[in-house]
Every structure is written in structure tokens, then in C-alpha cells.
Amino acid sequence: MKHRKQDFGKAAWSSKVTAPVIKIDLVIQCKQLPKKDLLSQADAFCVLWRVPNGYTPKIVHGMPCKLPGRQEEERGRTEVARACVHPTFKHRFRLEYSFHEEQTFVLRAYNEDLRYSTDLKEHDYLGGCLFTLGQLMGARGCTLAKRLGHERAILIVTGEEIIETREVLEFRFSCQDLVKERNIIDQSKVLDQCRPYFRLERLNNEDQSWEVVWKSEVLKDTLDPTWSHARLPLQLLCHDNQSNPLKITIWDYEKHSNNHNLLGFVESTVAEIVDKAKDGGIPVFIVMREKKKLFRGSKLKHVGLLKVLKATVIQIPSMLQYLSGGCSLDLMIGIDCTTSNGEWGSEKNMHFSASHWLNDYQAGIMQLGSIAENFARGKNSSIWGIGGKLNDKYFRCHCLEDRLCGGKELLQAYDDNIPDNPDFSLGEPAFLRPLIQSATFRTIKASKKRQCYTVLTVFIAGEIVDLPETVDLICTAAEDAPLSIVLIGVGNGDFTQVQKLCGDENGRIRDSRGIPVAREIVTFVSFKQFAGNATEVIAAALKNIPEQFVEYHAVMNGSKPLPAIPPPKFDEKSTKR
């Protein structure tokens, strides 16, 4: 959602169909464990550590060393599987997976040597592996296998998504006979028309305060409002527990003030609301308002009725479900090749490349490719230039290289075609519409043959000259194409115009006919927002992709995930150290 936490404007906060965090369980298995003791099979157990970004554990013979480094954070240990050659551990590691982040973990397996000792120095080291959650959840069957030190021993890690994180509340509310509070100072305000909206608030268990999680649109001149229907994940509403307290507060919007007037509230739970709305019923809740007594204390006053026109919990497939079934996440990268980058050949030029460091384009491409490659199903990524010149011939939009996969291939394509290309030079101006048009055409064509989704990421150094035409095209693409557009500002230029493609404070962008975009598909971030940190820039840029992905496939297109691809059969010949 694009709103600030206390931005209670006229527009409704965006509905959401994906949980803020996907919870997964790690299931650990071992096969063909060697004997470490003369008279018994291995007594194995495993330990999991989280590794901070940018830190690489010491690798010995293709595996992490026996003991963790100081920066590794232990996340738990399995039970000891006594005298077992092929253990499947009962203990599961519950983790929170975020698509837009690189979450790196180290898993080590040990043979218990000194019983009940917690000191890992006292146990025999069997081996381990280093992996990211993206690699795990993007692997076939969400399963990775690595060979341990012994030539036959295998360590297998499987990620299982928790089903409850897919539950969404679909709801619609209305009110009847709302009563405005009488203004003692200015009696004329009693005659003002009411502009009602409501907020959904959940209880913060830490300090027992109410936290606003969603706000409806503002309606005009009515005491009997009926708001539009909306969807919100239960994780956002009640932390996946339908019995947690939920508060619905109803407000009168004040146009010239941020201090809106509280009309009343209803306290309930998701479970109660859904249960009463079963079988087509329309449950009614009494709206109460606290009224202060003349001398001391207060009492609750009946000020209207809240009707639940619809309330049902539905299951929305997650992005991981689609990807596990073979849906491909394709990457299309656009590079600003205009004079907005600075003087060509100068060290201040944003395409300037040196052997000992990466410029912002290179760092962004590498980080972006390393995340997206986990979910690429084939070589379907490409890199494009905007507004540059080849052999002094200007091009608005040009495919520099196609049929790519992964950060290294994309980075090499950028280096070969721009910084290291003697035939390349900067041009002007920058047109964005041709690139979006190409992306829309390519992804619609590809989607007719296979289930896929395209993330068009455009690195921009300055303003564009075709804003109105681009807005119209984005509104069209949002309806028809499995496409998200990420705009990343490079350098210290003015990106005010580019940011208009994300919409304004009043809501979504509108085309030249005044029709709002069907779904929000554009995200803008810049390197200067994050002091040039490419990891943080790409994480912010990709944060909205799961929501946009699921909204297209599950809500707008109605397509279902394909059956999950089963994991391969692992043996000592098919695994790697």
C-alpha cells in the first residue's frame, strides 16, 4: 500500500490479497550417513544459522567449516536421530520468507559424540550447506540436496509453505442511522452533511494499543453509507488468528483538518463476523460511542448500526504456488542511455566502469538478476537500451541482448553492449513508451504458450518526454498483460515527473479519458533514497511484485496454479558438494 501510516485522505487504502510475510517450514533429511562409531550407526542432528547480507562463511572442501562465525545467528537445532542411516527430522524450522530479499542460511549436520553436550566442538562434523530461501523455494519441488563430506551422504532441505498465510477476508460493510455528535460551540455544524469512512484496527499485544491496518473510501453527504467491497489477508488483520480482537471505527471526514470526528466503533473478531455472515445472512452490530458525563466518567451511547453485507474467508493462491507449478518469472531490463548520465567517458558518467567497483547500473543488475534467477524457467530474460546511439544512429528502444538468465549473464550483456562497446554513445531524449510497448507485446505472446509473468525494470537517469502516452499505455497493459513495471532512479536527477507514473496522493493514475488504472503495476525507487545501497534499492523495488503477481493471475485472470512439480530423486550421483 502506498499510504503513510496516518494518511487518512479521501481514497481508500488499496485492498491486498497477499500476506505481508509468507511463513515456511524447513524439513531436513539425511541419507546414507556414514558410521562414526565402531558399534553403532550415526546419531545425527542438524543446526541452522542465519547469515547477514554480504557475509560469506568460511568454505572448506566445498562446505561451510565445522563451527559458525561470529556473525552467524543460530536459529535452532533438530532432535538427535539415534542410530539412523536415513533420518527425517521431526523438528521443523519455521521461517518468514520475503521474495524481495536475499535471506541466506547455513545448515550443518553433526554426529552426537558426547551425549547431551550443547558444545558443537564435542561432536563429529558430518558436513553442511549454504543456501538462500530464494534458491530453496525456486528449486524444483522446493527442495535442495547437497552431498556431505562422505561420498554417499546427502543432506536434503525442503521448504513447505504454511497454508494459513493464503487466507483472505473478503468483506463489505454499510451503516444505518448514524448520529453525529452535537457541537456545543457551533450549533450550525450539526446541520453539516456527514462524510463517513471506517478504519480497521487490530490490537497490538505489546503495548495494548490499537493499530490502524486499513481505511475505506470517504462517502459524501450520508448517514446511511454503503462502502465498496475489499479484501485483506488475515495475517494483516489479525496475525492469522481469527479470534484476535478487531475494532471497526467509523469517522466523519473533515476536509480542512487532519482531526476527523469519531462517530462510533464496533469491537468484534474476524471469527464472529464471518460466523454471523454465514448462509447469506446480514448480521447487524450496534455502533457505540463513548459519551463523557457532566462531572466525571463516561458511558457508551448507541449511535447507529453496522451491517455486514459480506464477510467470508477465501483462499487466494500465493505467488509461490504459481512458481512451484512451473510459472516463469521473466526479467526485462531497460537501461537509460541518454545524456542525462553525464559526459561520456568521464569518471562522473553513471555508466563509467572500473575493475575494482561496480557502478549503480552494474550493482542493480547483479542484485536484481540474482533474486529473479531463482524463479526463471529457462533463458527468458533480456536487456534493452533507451535513447542511446549505435554507430551514431539514435534508437528510442533497442534490444541489446536476449535469451539470458541470471545476474552474471545480464551483467555481462550490459558490460559488452554499453561501457565496453566502442560503437556505443549517449543520445537524447528518453522515451519510455516504446519499451513498455515491447514488454507488453512480448509477455502477452509468451503467456499464450506458458504460464509466466514479466518484471520490466527500467534504470532511469533523468526525465522522460512521453509521459501522457506512457500513462495511457500503462493503463492498457494493467488490464491485459502479466506485467509489473519497476522504475529505478540512478544518480541525483529530478524524478518528479517519473514518479507521476505511480499515481498521486488521491490514488491511482488515470488515462486520458479519466479512467483509473485497473491494477497498480508501477513502483518507483531511487539509489539516492538508500544512499547507493543496491541491496536495499532492489529489495524496495521488488517488494510489491508478489501482490501484483497474484492480483493478475488469481483475481483478474482467474487462472489457477499448475500442480506443483515434484522434487527429483536424489542420490549420490545427482547431488553436488
Side-chain angles (χ1 to χ4, degrees), residues 197-398:
Y197 71 93
F198 70 90
R199 306 174 190 171
L200 296 179
E201 304 177 18
R202 69 181 181 186
L203 188 64
N204 188 328
N205 293 326
E206 293 183 0
D207 57 7
Q208 295 298 298
S209 62
W210 290 98
E211 177 187 5
V212 180
V213 295
W214 193 79
K215 173 201 144 322
S216 75
E217 75 275 20
V218 175
L219 301 180
K220 291 184 179 180
D221 304 339
T222 180
L223 291 170
D224 301 303
T226 299
W227 292 281
S228 301
H229 83 279
R231 297 184 182 98
L232 287 177
L234 293 190
Q235 190 181 111
L236 181 67
L237 269 177
C238 54
H239 298 293
D240 286 325
N241 186 347
Q242 296 186 33
S243 299
N244 283 347
L246 180 68
K247 191 174 184 180
I248 306 165
T249 56
I250 303 159
W251 300 78
D252 181 17
Y253 178 79
E254 285 289 340
K255 183 176 180 180
H256 302 293
S257 171
N258 290 326
N259 298 318
H260 307 309
N261 299 317
L262 178 65
L263 296 176
F265 65 90
V266 171
E267 289 191 18
S268 183
T269 64
V270 171
E272 181 184 16
I273 292 172
V274 171
D275 186 63
K276 289 186 175 182
K278 284 181 179 178
D279 303 321
I282 301 180
V284 177
F285 294 84
I286 297 175
V287 180
M288 309 299 294
R289 182 168 66 229
E290 190 176 17
K291 181 180 179 181
K292 294 187 181 297
K293 294 182 178 180
L294 186 60
F295 294 103
R296 71 166 76 180
S298 62
K299 66 177 182 179
L300 294 178
K301 179 183 177 181
H302 175 187
V303 291
L305 300 174
L306 175 72
K307 295 183 177 181
V308 181
L309 304 181
K310 183 176 185 179
T312 180
V313 174
I314 59 176
Q315 288 253 345
I316 298 289
S318 70
M319 182 178 175
L320 279 180
Q321 272 188 286
Y322 287 95
L323 296 173
S324 297
C327 181
S328 176
L329 191 68
D330 301 340
L331 193 61
M332 188 170 170
I333 296 179
I335 303 295
D336 190 328
C337 300
T338 67
T339 54
S340 299
N341 288 279
E343 183 182 353
W344 184 248
S346 166
E347 289 189 8
K348 294 184 179 180
N349 184 278
M350 285 177 278
H351 287 295
F352 182 80
S353 177
S355 59
H356 57 283
W357 58 275
L358 301 177
N359 63 38
D360 286 347
Y361 289 102
Q362 293 168 324
I365 290 170
M366 191 66 188
Q367 182 68 18
L368 180 65
S370 65
I371 293 175
E373 69 184 355
N374 298 317
F375 305 100
R377 309 299 183 225
K379 291 179 173 288
N380 298 305
S381 295
S382 58
I383 190 163
W384 297 62
I386 305 171
K389 293 181 181 180
L390 285 175
N391 295 314
D392 292 328
K393 183 180 179 180
Y394 170 80
F395 56 85
R396 290 188 178 184
C397 173
H398 179 66

Side-chain angles (χ1 to χ4, degrees), residues 23 69 98 121 145 157 220 237 267 338 410 476 568-569:
K23 298 176 184 178
S98 297
K121 294 179 181 178
V157 187
K220 291 184 179 180
L237 269 177
E267 289 191 18
T338 67
L410 288 163
T476 301
K569 294 182 179 180

Side-chain angles (χ1 to χ4, degrees), residues 60-74:
V60 179
H61 302 303
M63 294 186 300
C65 61
K66 176 180 180 178
L67 300 176
R70 292 183 179 179
Q71 297 188 55
E72 297 181 41
E73 176 188 356
E74 185 174 328

Side-chain angles (χ1 to χ4, degrees), residues 18 20 62 67 73 85 106 109 145 170 182 213 277 299 302 309 313 386 408 448 459 489 547:
T18 58
L67 300 176
E73 176 188 356
V85 180
V106 176
E170 190 171 25
R182 184 177 294 273
V213 295
K299 66 177 182 179
H302 175 187
L309 304 181
V313 174
I386 305 171
K408 292 182 179 179
K448 293 179 180 179
F459 292 86
E547 174 70 20

